[in-house]
Amino acid sequence: VTVAGEITVSGRTVIVADKLTSQFIPAGFSTERTLLVERGEAAKSLASLESLYSRFLELGVGRDWTVVGIGGGSISDLAGFAASTWLRGTDSGFVPTTLLAMVDASVGGKNGIDFGGYKNLVGTFSQPRFVQVDTALLASLPEYDLACGLVEAIKHGWLDGEDHFSLVEHAVAKDGTIDRTMLEPVIRASITLKATVVNGDEREAGDRRRLNLGHTIGHGVEALTGLAHGACVAVGLAAALQFAAERCGPVAGDSRVLRLLERLALPVTMESARASSIKTNKMSPPAFREAVAQAIGNDKKKLGGHMLFVLPVALGQVRIEAIDLDTLRDFIRRAP
Ligand SMILES: NC(=O)c1ccc[n+]([C@@H]2O[C@H](COP(=O)([O-])OP(=O)(O)OC[C@H]3O[C@@H](n4cnc5c(N)ncnc54)[C@H](O)[C@@H]3O)[C@@H](O)[C@H]2O)c1
């Protein structure tokens, strides 16, 4: 991973981007080898994967080529998956253009697409050859998207402890404005934490599961509301803090997370997530909770009637427990 620097690409390279992130492709790069896909989550479809494979075939993309994804997490997930499956694996490289992709999605080697209504159902573990981070690319990113990206940095801060967490806190002013000049150290700390965890457990057989903090309930909320990933993880993180408090007693540092998320104007309750999505704001609150509870049961990380749940027990400390699915669903039905 390199932070900052010019994007230089040469010869045997294809670039995957969307209409917006194609502005970051270096001038003069071959339009033939520029592959545009839909913006956002829609990029992670079988249809866009097929369109990439078709172009790879036409261009004669070989094992010695590099597939470069320039964009947010949707682009890196798709480009990485296409690269890791083409000819049983070609190189990939990412230039993340959203904060979420810089602090999280572009690092760690999880690639994939959505299928049958489920996120990331089909995918690979395959590390990119390089990740090039340049915070200048965030200039055009709306404040809300920046806030959503910061949620994964907050999660990393929680896992890492006081120094890292306070670094993220200091990047957010009391009025919720994000100090863009503070983002580079935040991104560095996030990448370091994630890379360390992934190096120890690339295939998520143990310690890497910690990175799922906030994602179990968050993914359920995302499946229903379609709100931004970071906004849903904010709800999932707040819910996990409450669940941990119920099971394990007071959670040191929980109010700091809630304050930070609230300052960023992110939802921290199931109810605010329901009300702020056009897909769910007509549902009754109990019907919404029930639907989220059911969606969680469908999550692919389920083990029989149990789920591995990451409990945030104190700042810098989590505990992973197999939680009975009925217990978790009961909690969701009564969570705020
Ligand atoms: N592989 C992983 O480890 C991992 C981790 C976290 C999230 N993800 C995945 O990442 C995806 C979400 O990624 P995301 O939040 O980066 O969003 P995204 O890639 O879905 O992009 C969202 C929108 O932002 C626009 N955009 C991108 N860069 C911009 C810029 N600099 N200025 C203005 N607009 C810009 C895009 O055109 C797009 O419309 C989800 O699919 C999630 O599952 C993957």
Side-chain angles (χ1 to χ4, degrees), residues 16 43-46 48-50 52-53 56 67 69 73-94 109-115 120-128:
V16 180
K44 291 170 61 173
S45 68
L46 266 185
S48 45
L49 183 68
E50 192 177 0
L52 296 190
Y53 288 156
F56 291 177
V67 179
S74 300
I75 295 289
S76 48
D77 278 10
L78 170 75
F81 184 63
S84 69
T85 47
W86 183 250
L87 301 179
R88 299 193 178 85
T90 56
D91 278 356
S92 62
F94 303 138
K110 276 191 185 179
N111 311 292
I113 59 165
D114 306 333
F115 185 73
N120 308 324
L121 199 60
V122 183
T124 53
F125 286 100
S126 172
Q127 300 296 336

Side-chain angles (χ1 to χ4, degrees), residues 16 108 211 221:
V16 180
L211 299 175
V221 171

Side-chain angles (χ1 to χ4, degrees), residues 18-21 23-24 39-41 44 71-77 97-101 104-112 114 119-120 137-142 145 148 152 194 208 215 219 222 229-230:
D18 64 37
K19 205 169 168 194
L20 187 137
T21 63
Q23 67 176 301
F24 302 122
R39 288 179 61 181
E41 195 68 27
K44 291 170 61 173
S74 300
I75 295 289
S76 48
D77 278 10
T97 65
T98 63
L99 183 58
L100 182 124
D104 193 5
S106 66
V107 184
K110 276 191 185 179
N111 311 292
D114 306 333
K119 269 177 71 79
N120 308 324
L137 303 185
L138 298 175
S140 56
L141 199 69
D145 295 30
C148 288
E152 300 286 5
K194 186 164 182 186
R208 186 172 181 164
H215 283 64
H219 275 160
E222 192 172 351
H229 182 71

Side-chain angles (χ1 to χ4, degrees), residues 156-216:
H156 289 152
W158 180 276
L159 296 173
D160 214 7
E162 178 61 42
D163 289 355
H164 188 156
F165 190 80
S166 53
L167 190 69
V168 185
E169 266 178 336
H170 285 122
V172 184
K174 291 234 159 23
D175 67 357
T177 318
I178 297 168
D179 181 351
R180 290 173 183 249
T181 63
M182 292 281 291
L183 289 178
E184 195 167 310
V186 167
I187 294 165
R188 278 185 196 279
S190 255
I191 292 174
T192 305
L193 182 272
K194 186 164 182 186
T196 306
V197 173
V198 171
N199 278 335
D201 175 26
E202 190 177 4
R203 292 189 157 250
E204 204 175 298
D207 195 48
R208 186 172 181 164
R209 293 188 179 127
R210 292 198 289 144
L211 299 175
N212 291 327
L213 172 62
H215 283 64
T216 304

